[in-house]
Amino acid sequence: MSESTHTIGQALRDAARRLSASSPTPRLDAELLLAHALGWPRAKLLAEAREALSPDDQARFEALIVRRKNLDPVAYLVGRKEFFGLEFEVDRRVLVPRPETELLVERALALAPTLGPRPRIADIGTGSGAIPIALAVHLPQATIVASDISADALAVAAANVARHRVGARVSLLLGDLLDPLPREPALDLILSNPPYATPATVDENVRRHEPHLALFAAEQGLAVYRRLLAQAPAYLRPGGALLLELGDSQSEAVAVLASAAFPGAQIACYPDLAGITRALEVRTSPP
Ligand SMILES: C[S@@+](CC[C@H](N)C(=O)[O-])C[C@H]1O[C@@H](n2cnc3c(N)ncnc32)[C@H](O)[C@@H]1O
């Protein structure tokens, strides 16, 4: 921030200009970070644009701008991220929930009428807990088990479960994929947004700041899908469903793995809002 910055409006313009080389959304970033520095809702910034910033507020804002120029995700700098209309605590222990992952929740809600009156659902690789918590809020009869191999990630998920008061129906288990789950009673639905990237396909800012355990998988990103699909039939009831988020260009390879794991099942793919095939849905044959 330049020394001549005095008002909120000037501070925002100056910060947006400085972020424009490193962020695709410089003005939005500046507003979110200044609102965070001041402890205000973002809308108040525009109403108070002519107000002077105190030296302390300027210093707090400047520290955030410097970190954003270093490509720190805004969600980590402000400590939260909205997903499916709900606010989640996030920090460097978890992947920042992405808008495209909302498709998995939408598909699960669309399938809900087929899942039975009290669906048992599992979310594998839960990270911040965004998926099971969104489902628990929208499916009041569902119970959801969420696993992660990272104890650090589960600590963040636990904070979010408490924040959204869904602890009676969302349980968190530490372990590899489906291993920590009981096989009985069988599940009605399994969801997962697993690690599926390779270092070459991920932007530098993501690679530098988000947990590699959440991002990367061997075998061109297919290794976790392969293991999860091999385990899933032993946990899913006949007639149950499975939903997987897909990386770019992975739909055919994952569909092959899914048909091998669930012979005779119906398999469908769905695009995200950008038109990229993003979710794969398996509906297994009824008993
Ligand atoms: C792509 S992130 C998804 C996080 C969250 N579900 C979301 O959509 O924002 C993948 C998550 O899977 C976890 N993970 C990686 N390998 C795993 C494994 N073998 N078993 C269980 N969880 C795993 C990571 O720790 C990370 O939290």
Side-chain angles (χ1 to χ4, degrees), residues 9 21 38 40 44 56 64 87 114 119 176 199 209 224 243 250 256:
L38 295 172
W40 290 2
K44 190 173 169 188
D56 279 358
L64 291 166
E87 193 169 273
T114 71
D176 184 27
H209 294 287
V224 180
L243 282 164
Q250 287 178 324
V256 168

Side-chain angles (χ1 to χ4, degrees), residues 107 111 114 239-242 264-268 270 281-285:
R107 287 310 312 158
L111 284 171
T114 71
L242 180 139
Q266 290 175 30
I267 295 177
Y270 295 88
E281 181 176 296
V282 179
R283 297 184 70 173
T284 67
S285 309

Side-chain angles (χ1 to χ4, degrees), residues 10-82:
Q10 286 169 329
L12 286 173
R13 279 194 296 281
D14 187 34
R17 182 181 49 72
R18 290 169 63 202
L19 292 176
S20 59
S22 52
S23 167
T25 52
R27 173 75 192 196
L28 175 63
D29 294 5
E31 289 183 13
L32 289 167
L33 295 175
L34 184 54
H36 179 66
L38 295 172
W40 290 2
R42 183 157 67 98
K44 190 173 169 188
L45 294 177
L46 302 181
E48 309 281 337
R50 289 165 187 269
E51 285 293 307
L53 275 180
S54 73
D56 279 358
D57 291 339
Q58 286 207 34
R60 266 200 304 281
F61 185 41
E62 174 63 14
L64 291 166
I65 294 298
V66 168
R67 288 180 63 190
R68 183 63 188 133
K69 272 176 71 82
N70 188 37
L71 304 179
D72 278 48
V74 172
Y76 290 159
L77 295 177
V78 303
R80 33 182 211 276
K81 177 74 182 177
E82 191 182 297

Side-chain angles (χ1 to χ4, degrees), residues 107 111 114-115 188-190 229 232-233 236-237 239-244 254-255 257-270 279-285:
R107 287 310 312 158
L111 284 171
T114 71
L115 299 178
D188 299 294
L189 173 65
I190 298 173
L229 282 162
L236 199 60
R237 72 161 163 83
L242 180 139
L243 282 164
L244 297 174
V254 179
L257 295 172
S259 339
F262 294 98
Q266 290 175 30
I267 295 177
C269 290
Y270 295 88
L280 180 135
E281 181 176 296
V282 179
R283 297 184 70 173
T284 67
S285 309

Side-chain angles (χ1 to χ4, degrees), residues 80-99:
R80 33 182 211 276
K81 177 74 182 177
E82 191 182 297
F83 177 84
F84 219 78
L86 302 167
E87 193 169 273
F88 291 91
E89 293 177 25
V90 293
D91 61 31
R92 289 172 173 280
R93 293 173 290 177
V94 293
L95 189 93
V96 178
R98 304 295 204 265

Side-chain angles (χ1 to χ4, degrees), residues 3 6 13-14 30 47 74 76 83 88 104 109 151 177 199 213 218-219 221:
E3 283 180 12
H6 294 298
R13 279 194 296 281
D14 187 34
V74 172
Y76 290 159
F83 177 84
F88 291 91
L104 228 52
L109 296 182
L177 301 181
L213 189 56
E219 300 175 37

